[in-house]
């Protein structure tokens, strides 16, 4: 039903910036919430940020609060993650995820991920 494609990852030096994008497509797109989840090598998947599609209310993990900004463009069915002041510990595969249409649904749709590597 929903397809998610991430882009914008790459290699940057510590202190640099990247902007990730997640384009949603499919027959319909009525996700209640979209978010970013990352997984570093040898680590568990961790929540990064999320946004309510309709009202734009955002949520952040403490580790990225003040450095990352999540946003979305409703007209383009696209979500963004502006990543500033990047640190080596931000290195991970970043996944885009989308919930179902209702507020009680979890992340049922996932993208393939995009690699973010931050050098020291």
């Amino acid at each position: 039903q929903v397809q998610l494609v991430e882009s914008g990852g790459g290699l940057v030096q510590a202190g640099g910036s990247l902007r990730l994008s997640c384009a949603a497509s499919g027959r319909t797109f009525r996700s209640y919430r979209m978010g970013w989840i990352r997984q570093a090598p040898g680590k568990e998947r961790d929540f990064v940020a999320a946004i309510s599609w309709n009202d734009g209310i955002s949520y952040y993990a403490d580790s990225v609060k003040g450095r990352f900004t999540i946003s979305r463009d409703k007209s383009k069915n696209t979500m963004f993650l502006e990543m500033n002041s990047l640190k080596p510990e931000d290195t991970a595969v970043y996944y885009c995820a989308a919930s179902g249409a209702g507020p009680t649904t979890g992340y049922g749709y996932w993208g393939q991920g995009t690699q973010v590597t931050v050098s020291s």
Side-chain angles (χ1 to χ4, degrees), residues 6-88:
E6 304 97 333
S7 63
L11 173 64
V12 298
Q13 293 185 353
S17 300
L18 282 175
R19 190 192 193 198
L20 306 183
S21 298
C22 175
S25 63
R27 293 182 179 180
T28 61
F29 182 70
R30 299 289 186 272
S31 180
Y32 181 84
R33 180 182 66 258
M34 293 186 69
W36 293 95
I37 296 88
R38 67 187 182 186
Q39 184 169 27
K43 302 293 191 298
E44 297 181 351
R45 290 187 293 272
D46 290 322
F47 165 79
V48 177
I51 188 166
S52 298
W53 195 255
N54 185 48
D55 57 26
I57 297 176
S58 59
Y59 308 86
Y60 299 92
D62 289 340
S63 60
V64 306
K65 202 169 187 177
R67 298 188 297 120
F68 292 8
T69 302
I70 190 170
S71 62
R72 84 274 188 261
D73 186 334
K74 289 184 178 180
S75 66
K76 298 180 179 179
N77 288 335
T78 302
M79 177 179 66
F80 306 95
L81 184 67
E82 188 73 39
M83 309 165 67
N84 300 311
S85 301
L86 284 163
K87 305 174 181 180

